[in-house]
Amino acid sequence: MHRAALLQPTDIPCIILHYHPGGHKSESRPNQGTGFIVMRLLVILLIIVALAAGGVFFLLENPDQFKNQITRITESGTGYRIKINGELSWRYWPPIAINVNDLSLARGDEAPFAEFETMSIDVALMPLLTRQTVIDVRDVTLKGGRIALLVNEDGRSNWKIETAGAATAPTADTGSTTLASTIQRLTVRDVRLGYIDRTTSSDYEVILQNITTGELTSGKPFDLNAALSFTDNIANISADITTAGRLNFQSDTGRTSIITLITSIDAMVDGERYPTFNLTTDGDWRPDERALILKRNDIQVSTLHIAMTGLIALAGSTPRFDGVLNLESADAASLGRDLNLELPVGFIQLESDFGATPETLSFRTLSGRFDDSELKGSASINPGPPMRVKADLRINRLDSNRYLTSTEASADGLNRPDAATDSELIPVDLLRATHTTATIRVASLRYDTHDLADAKVTVNNNHGNLDVIANASAYGGKIVFGLNSQLQNSHLKNQVRTDIKLNLDGVDVAQLLQMPGITGTISANSDLAFSGTLLSDVNENLTGRSAFNVKDGSLDVRPLKSIAQKIDLLRGKTSSISEWPDVMPFRHMVGQHNFSRGTKAGQVLNAEVENLVLTALGGLDLQAETLNYDVTAMFTQAENGQFKVSKQLSGIRWPLSCSGSIYSAPGELCFGKEGAIRELVEDIAAQDLKRRGKEKIEKLIDKKVPDEYKDIARDLLKNLFK
């Protein structure tokens, strides 16, 4: 509307002051009252307001004329082409605002990447009507729509503006471009955002349910509240996210400060809901460096608290985080239950100089505690697949028993007190899914009932071929253990072969075996093998041989003395064994232990202690933790030595049947059953009787039978005492 079309305000008073009915002109009367003057001024003001209102409503009824202005504001501020396909209309109350229907956003002449159903803009009306170059936007509300962001195979996106300041300068016929100095409130509701990156096979969808901001002014903090949902269509991950806090945007540098942004995330992975993640973040985004500085990033999930500070660098081909990580959980068992993980530790606290990329997590200087143990070292994890783990850790002390106890209960009741247990010794699935190079040193290690010092374990697993080498100082000597498992690229677990080597050097045998009946220093080596992955497989098919040598030891012979005393009662005289001390010293004990078809049966143990020969046949059930051996002890004739016996007892087999729990004492195993000693005495007495009968017959033949008939007589009587 042109100014010529309107009445000029300066003309209005003249018309009123000089016009009279009848067409005659008269002079003004100087004696008119003050009330008359006030009335004339009010009439003037009402006419001015009426004319101004008429002009405003004329413009309000024709809002389409502002399309070009809105387009110029958007293009000059963002460089994008905006197209308004629908009509503009006014919302008169409350407050007055422009409603825009069916608009789209595109880069240049390309297809739109964003389309919106409605946008409502509440602007300061008079600057807009008078074509001022700077206006204030009180509120912008965006409802409904779809944003589709795409990165194609060659890395080109459909939304990035290639050249900074892409807005075109206004042409001569458009006049000065109108810019918004502030946006006092921004609201976005029910907008879907899709992101597909074909170079990385990424496919994400975000639903912006509600986003509300405070006044958006450069250099001034503004409030942000948002609720949205996120879906990773490839990994089958979804999350509901809410966030609230303050941001500060610098328009001249593009930098944004994050001021105590509190975020809550409820995630689902493969249909399984996880505990709520709560984050509190303070930091600075620097677009010129493509870097986010985290002054604070606290994460709380279940009983786990993680604090991070550092730098997230997005420049270059690979995003990277470098900083410090603190992690702590006072109740890791609850954390494990909430995350559906088996965490054996009760308390954990870690601190590390930490680095992360999409491929690797690096704990460069790791230190902390778990339960009663202190930890130092370094580690790196590549999620894979396959997962790759490298670690070099030092632990001051470790009780491994609390971490080796399985808490899983199987469907067939393997862990019932009245059922034999089975367990997986070679975790095939884990070995195939990981590649591991790790060295762990433990200053003080407790394993089962054994206390070890300066333990070192090296684990190398490459595509299912596992090598473990462990050594430790124990009971005055050295223990070296080696294990090699060949998975042979087979999915059949019974085709997995494991070789085991064990060496003992100078170890106190009493402390090692925890059997007070024997002392000395043992040296031993074992070379064993089995096929399969379970403890039951060891029971069924373990093979191999062990050899041992015990020097300068002693043997508790009270069980033998007890038997000898009962035999003495039958014989009517005292044997030398009855007069032995309870503990007999010896210079050496040597022996061999052979496995031919597992541990449950077929074991053969041969041992010699001076002139005492021991033989054991039977087996040990590792699952039921029971043993069953037939043991034979025999004294050979010797002129010297601690175990010297009379001629009458030499060569006599002392048969014992030892069975029961592996935790029982030897005396209880071999002599605890009713009638065991009586049967043993009867057997020994029968052997002595047979031997004496044979000796008596031999004397009679030598004395009574002529020489030419002696051989015939021996043949006839040789089986008499069998």
Side-chain angles (χ1 to χ4, degrees):
M1 179 177 293
H2 301 288
R3 290 181 180 270
L6 298 174
L7 292 174
Q8 301 298 320
T10 55
D11 298 331
I12 297 173
C14 297
I15 296 173
I16 297 176
L17 290 174
H18 300 289
Y19 178 76
H20 294 275
H24 299 284
K25 197 181 287 186
S26 64
E27 296 181 357
S28 301
R29 302 180 203 179
N31 59 349
Q32 287 179 328
T34 305
F36 179 75
I37 297 173
V38 171
M39 288 298 297
R40 284 195 297 178
L41 291 175
L42 288 174
V43 171
I44 292 170
L45 292 174
L46 287 172
I47 293 175
I48 293 173
V49 170
L51 292 173
V56 167
F57 278 99
F58 175 80
L59 293 174
L60 292 178
E61 288 300 322
N62 296 275
D64 282 349
Q65 65 176 307
F66 295 118
K67 280 187 178 182
N68 291 335
Q69 275 185 279
I70 294 173
T71 301
R72 286 197 300 271
I73 291 173
T74 304
E75 292 182 353
S76 64
T78 66
Y80 292 111
R81 175 175 59 85
I82 187 171
K83 183 178 180 181
I84 301 175
N85 302 307
E87 295 182 352
L88 273 67
S89 62
W90 288 100
R91 185 189 67 204
Y92 297 112
W93 189 263
I96 295 176
I98 299 175
N99 289 329
V100 184
N101 296 319
D102 191 8
L103 67 154
S104 60
L105 204 62
R107 182 181 62 181
D109 297 330
E110 297 180 4
F113 64 85
E115 297 176 317
F116 303 101
E117 295 176 3
T118 62
M119 180 171 65
S120 176
I121 307 174
D122 174 14
V123 299
L125 187 60
M126 291 310 297
L128 182 65
L129 296 176
T130 57
R131 304 297 197 272
Q132 293 185 18
T133 58
V134 177
I135 62 174
D136 287 335
V137 179
R138 296 191 180 99
D139 183 89
V140 175
T141 300
L142 196 63
K143 292 183 180 180
R146 173 79 181 178
I147 303 172
L149 306 180
L150 173 66
V151 179
N152 59 23
E153 290 80 356
D154 59 5
R156 289 176 53 83
S157 66
N158 68 338
W159 77 91
K160 288 184 179 178
I161 300 297
E162 302 298 335
T163 305
T168 57
T171 60
D173 61 341
T174 60
S176 299
T177 300
T178 304
L179 299 177
S181 63
T182 62
I183 298 178
Q184 296 181 17
R185 178 184 175 91
L186 171 66
T187 302
V188 179
R189 293 177 181 169
D190 301 327
V191 174
R192 289 180 175 269
L193 187 151
Y195 175 84
I196 296 176
D197 188 340
R198 292 174 178 164
T199 63
T200 60
S201 299
S202 301
D203 186 352
Y204 307 124
E205 185 174 46
V206 179
I207 300 177
L208 306 177
Q209 298 162 349
N210 183 51
I211 297 177
T212 305
T213 72
E215 181 179 327
L216 301 179
T217 302
S218 176
K220 181 179 179 181
F222 64 89
D223 294 329
L224 171 68
N225 288 275
L228 56 95
S229 62
F230 167 85
T231 303
D232 185 334
N233 294 318
I234 302 298
N236 196 19
I237 298 173
S238 62
D240 294 323
I241 304 171
T242 59
T243 186
R246 308 197 80 196
L247 303 179
N248 190 346
F249 176 72
Q250 303 288 339
S251 61
D252 54 344
T253 63
R255 295 186 175 183
T256 302
S257 296
I258 303 170
I259 307 169
T260 315
L261 192 66
I262 299 175
T263 305
S264 178
I265 303 174
D266 290 306
M268 292 186 68
V269 179
D270 293 328
E272 181 178 353
R273 184 168 296 279
Y274 276 70
T276 300
F277 283 71
N278 295 299
L279 296 86
T280 303
T281 306
D282 288 276
D284 291 301
W285 165 245
R286 299 181 177 180
D288 50 341
E289 303 172 14
R290 297 193 65 197
L292 175 62
I293 298 175
L294 288 178
K295 300 176 183 177
R296 174 189 180 191
N297 189 41
D298 292 347
I299 304 172
Q300 184 75 41
V301 52
S302 183
T303 64
L304 178 66
H305 177 250
I306 302 174
M308 301 170 61
T309 58
L311 174 69
I312 299 177
L314 301 180
S317 59
T318 303
R320 182 175 186 87
F321 172 83
D322 285 288
V324 176
L325 171 71
N326 285 275
L327 178 152
E328 182 173 333
S329 176
D331 187 359
S334 295
L335 174 65
R337 288 192 296 269
D338 291 341
L339 296 179
N340 197 22
L341 298 173
E342 186 174 350
L343 299 177
V345 298
F347 166 83
I348 185 170
Q349 182 272 321
L350 297 175
E351 180 178 353
S352 180
D353 178 16
F354 179 66
T357 68
E359 294 79 24
T360 306
L361 305 177
S362 299
F363 301 85
R364 293 185 282 259
T365 56
L366 188 62
S367 63
R369 295 187 301 119
F370 60 95
D371 298 329
D372 297 326
S373 304
E374 293 182 2
L375 171 71
K376 293 183 180 296
S378 61
S380 65
I381 302 172
N382 184 327
M387 179 182 289
R388 296 179 179 270
V389 179
K390 294 182 66 176
D392 190 345
L393 304 176
R394 297 176 183 270
I395 303 172
N396 66 335
R397 61 177 177 269
L398 177 65
D399 185 353
S400 66
N401 294 325
R402 66 188 304 171
Y403 309 119
L404 296 178
T405 301
S406 174
T407 59
E408 297 181 357
S410 62
D412 56 0
L414 288 179
N415 284 329
R416 297 196 313 267
D418 59 343
T421 60
D422 203 357
S423 59
E424 187 177 40
L425 300 181
I426 310 298
V428 174
D429 295 335
L430 177 62
L431 295 178
R432 286 201 178 99
T434 59
H435 182 106
T436 305
T437 301
T439 299
I440 303 174
R441 297 173 176 86
V442 184
S444 176
L445 172 64
R446 185 166 184 81
Y447 176 76
D448 195 10
T449 57
H450 305 297
D451 294 310
L452 312 177
D454 300 324
K456 178 182 177 182
V457 180
T458 300
V459 180
N460 286 287
N461 175 54
N462 185 8
H463 302 296
N465 292 327
L466 175 66
D467 279 303
V468 178
I469 299 176
N471 60 75
S473 298
Y475 311 130
K478 194 78 172 178
I479 299 176
V480 180
F481 172 84
L483 178 146
N484 174 260
S485 285
Q486 298 288 335
L487 303 191
Q488 302 173 352
N489 296 320
S490 172
H491 293 284
L492 300 176
K493 294 186 177 182
N494 59 1
Q495 292 187 10
V496 177
R497 176 180 171 84
T498 300
D499 294 297
I500 300 173
K501 296 184 182 297
L502 176 65
N503 288 280
L504 309 177
D505 185 16
V507 176
D508 188 315
V509 68
Q511 296 183 63
L512 176 67
L513 300 179
Q514 296 186 343
M515 294 175 62
I518 184 172
T519 66
T521 302
I522 185 172
S523 296
N525 63 81
S526 296
D527 194 347
L528 308 171
F530 71 95
S531 296
T533 63
L534 304 176
L535 184 63
S536 58
D537 295 321
V538 177
N539 263 354
E540 298 297 332
N541 64 64
L542 181 71
T543 60
R545 171 183 174 276
S546 298
F548 60 90
N549 183 1
V550 182
K551 297 180 179 179
D552 300 323
S554 63
L555 190 65
D556 187 344
V557 294
R558 283 177 294 182
L560 290 176
K561 286 179 61 179
S562 176
I563 297 171
Q565 290 169 357
K566 292 180 173 57
I567 295 174
D568 289 346
L569 291 175
L570 295 174
R571 297 171 63 240
K573 57 182 180 179
T574 302
S575 66
S576 57
I577 297 178
S578 301
E579 298 176 350
W580 284 356
D582 291 343
V583 178
M584 292 283 286
F586 61 85
R587 293 187 299 274
H588 66 274
M589 175 192 293
V590 295
Q592 293 183 354
H593 191 178
N594 295 309
F595 296 90
S596 60
R597 55 179 186 275
T599 64
K600 292 175 66 174
Q603 294 185 35
V604 179
L605 170 65
N606 293 305
E608 294 184 9
V609 186
E610 304 291 348
N611 61 309
L612 173 59
V613 178
L614 298 171
T615 300
L617 304 175
L620 169 68
D621 191 330
L622 297 174
Q623 290 179 262
E625 297 182 336
T626 59
L627 57 82
N628 185 9
Y629 290 97
D630 290 326
V631 182
T632 299
M634 186 177 68
F635 296 95
T636 60
Q637 186 65 42
E639 297 296 330
N640 300 308
Q642 298 292 333
F643 294 90
K644 184 176 63 174
V645 295
S646 63
K647 182 179 179 180
Q648 287 77 13
L649 292 181
S650 65
I652 297 294
R653 294 181 301 106
W654 297 56
L656 304 172
S657 179
C658 303
S659 61
S661 170
I662 61 175
Y663 302 108
S664 300
E668 181 181 348
L669 287 170
C670 301
F671 305 109
K673 300 177 180 61
E674 183 179 356
I677 294 179
R678 177 180 55 79
E679 292 176 1
L680 175 61
V681 171
E682 291 175 352
D683 191 287
I684 293 175
Q687 290 183 64
D688 184 52
L689 179 60
K690 292 175 183 178
R691 186 179 64 176
R692 285 190 292 166
K694 291 171 68 175
E695 291 176 350
K696 186 67 171 177
I697 290 175
E698 186 66 31
K699 291 180 180 179
L700 289 173
I701 291 174
D702 288 339
K703 183 177 181 181
K704 303 293 185 178
V705 178
D707 292 342
E708 61 270 22
Y709 298 112
K710 286 182 180 180
D711 292 338
I712 297 174
R714 290 189 181 97
D715 289 338
L716 290 173
L717 300 175
K718 64 180 179 181
N719 294 322
L720 180 62
F721 291 96
K722 279 194 175 182

